[in-house]
Amino acid sequence: MKMVQAIIKPFKLDDVREALTEIGVTGMTATEVKGFGRQKGHTELYRGAEYVVDFLPKIKLEIVINDEKVEAVIDAVLKAAQTGKIGDGKVFVMDVEQAIRIRTGEEGNEAV
């Protein structure tokens, strides 16, 4: 099993969710996060005072899937989340050693 983590722009969440649903992903976790990469943040004006926003709002998606679906999930996220502008995000893939469904006790691929 693998965990795919994707950091995306917040307004792309619905597009990515729909793309993942179309390829058969039945569950995911979405978390509101803040961060920066090469984008480095930006300057905003509030009540006449200028201030720097270092951490930008993002969405972190976590999807645990069978090994066979990894490439399809990555492709779906890349196509749905891409705007072509700086700050589109990143995708990370990690091994998952074990998964257990709390309700039934199912383990491994059956738990996913």
Side-chain angles (χ1 to χ4, degrees):
M1 290 176 295
K2 301 283 188 204
M3 176 185 287
V4 176
Q5 283 188 348
I7 309 296
I8 62 172
K9 291 182 175 184
F11 69 90
K12 285 300 207 170
L13 177 58
D14 286 336
D15 294 341
V16 172
R17 184 188 50 79
E18 287 173 16
L20 291 171
T21 301
E22 285 177 12
I23 63 166
V25 173
T26 57
M28 70 186 80
T29 300
T31 309
E32 292 181 9
V33 296
K34 291 184 179 202
F36 69 91
R38 291 184 186 157
Q39 195 174 2
K40 300 270 193 293
H42 61 278
T43 304
E44 288 189 5
L45 195 62
Y46 179 71
R47 293 190 177 184
E50 202 172 88
Y51 66 100
V52 177
V53 178
D54 290 331
F55 290 92
L56 300 171
K58 301 287 183 181
I59 298 290
K60 179 167 81 170
L61 296 177
E62 296 173 308
I63 307 130
V64 177
I65 48 167
N66 300 332
D67 290 342
E68 308 85 52
K69 289 188 175 183
V70 172
E71 291 305 318
V73 167
I74 292 170
D75 289 344
V77 170
L78 292 178
K79 288 176 185 167
Q82 187 178 36
T83 67
K85 297 181 180 159
I86 193 166
D88 275 352
K90 299 247 183 343
V91 175
F92 305 99
V93 180
M94 294 153 274
D95 288 322
V96 174
E97 289 186 30
Q98 187 174 10
I100 303 165
R101 185 184 310 269
I102 294 173
R103 179 177 54 88
T104 63
E106 293 170 300
E107 295 187 24
N109 289 335
E110 291 80 33
V112 178

